[in-house]
Amino acid sequence: MALGKTGFNVVIHCRRSLAEARALKAGLEKLGVKAWVVRGSLDDEKAVAQMWYEAAKAAGRIEVLVNCAAVFNKDTVGTMSGAAITGEFWPNLFAPMLLTKYFAAQSLERGDIVNLLDRRIASHDPECVPYLLSKKALAEFTKTSALALAPRIRVNGVAPGPVLAPPGKPAGSLRDRAGKIPLLETVAPGEIADAVIALLNMPATTGQIVFVDGGQHLLGSHDQ
Ligand SMILES: NC(=O)c1ccc[n+]([C@@H]2O[C@H](COP(=O)([O-])OP(=O)(O)OC[C@H]3O[C@@H](n4cnc5c(N)ncnc54)[C@H](OP(=O)(O)O)[C@@H]3O)[C@@H](O)[C@H]2O)c1
C-alpha cells in the first residue's frame, strides 16, 4: 500500500495468502495505480524463475524489487535438519539472490532493490540458527550486489526489530517476547514501509542497512 500511495504500480507476490493478496490488489486499484497478483513458492530455482516471468509479463519492466517473503523458525544447532536449513535458505536468501539476477538482467537505466533483513544480524541468536544465517548472508549480499550493480542499480536493506507476532501467535505476545528495546516501543509495520520508501528517495545511498528496531541492535545480544 505504501508503494501504491507513492504512485508505483505494484506486483504482489503470494504463495498461500491469495485472498489477502487480492484484497491488497483491490486496495491499490482504489488508489488509482495498477496492481497484479502472482502466486508461487520460492523454494527452488524453477519456481522463482516462473514467478519472475509472470511478474515481468504482467507489469513489463520492474523498477523496484522488495525482497520481503521469509520463513522464521526457531531452530537451534541441536534441532536443525537439512530440510529445515534449505526450507529457510530458499525463500530468505537464494530466491532474493536469483531475483536480483533477473532484475539486473532487464534493460533498466535505473533500478532499486530493498532487502528485508532482521535486527538479529547484529547479534548471534542461537535460538534461530538457519534463519539468522540466511539473514546475515542476505545482508552481506546486499552490500556485494550494491557494488556489483552500481551505478545502474542501488541495493539497500531494512532490518526490522519486533513488528508482527509470528504466524499463529497472538498480536499481544510480541511485547512480552520482544526483549529489551531502548526506545521502549515495538515497531509499527508502517515504519518498515516508511524506511523502504525513504531508501527509494536517497539516490546517493547504496549498500546501506537501516535498522528500524527501536535501537535494539545496539544491545548486540539476542537475549537482552
Ligand atoms: N514480523 C517481524 O516482527 C519481523 C522482524 C524482523 C524481520 N522481519 C522480516 O520482515 C519481512 C516480513 O516479515 P513478516 O512477518 O511479514 O513475514 P511473514 O508473515 O512470516 O512471511 C511473509 C510471507 O512470506 C511468504 N513466504 C514464506 N515462505 C515462502 C516460500 N517458501 N515461498 C513463497 N513465499 C513464502 C508467505 O506468503 P503466503 O502467506 O502467501 O504463503 C508469508 O506470508 C521478512 O523478511 C522478515 O524476516 C519481520
Side-chain angles (χ1 to χ4, degrees), residues 169-186:
K169 302 279 179 198
S173 70
L174 188 67
R175 189 64 198 87
D176 305 335
R177 296 154 52 98
K180 196 167 161 188
I181 305 176
L183 291 183
L184 295 174
E185 299 293 334
T186 52

Side-chain angles (χ1 to χ4, degrees), residues 139-154:
E140 287 305 314
F141 183 69
T142 299
K143 296 176 193 174
T144 306
S145 55
L147 198 53
L149 302 179
R152 207 165 54 92
I153 293 167
R154 298 187 302 121

Side-chain angles (χ1 to χ4, degrees), residues 13-17 40-43 68-71 91 116-118 131 135 160-164:
H13 159 260
C14 72
R15 179 190 47 174
R16 295 184 189 133
S17 302
S41 96
L42 300 173
D43 291 329
C68 181
V71 174
L116 266 291
L117 304 168
D118 191 300
Y131 172 81
K135 291 292 183 179
V163 184
L164 296 169

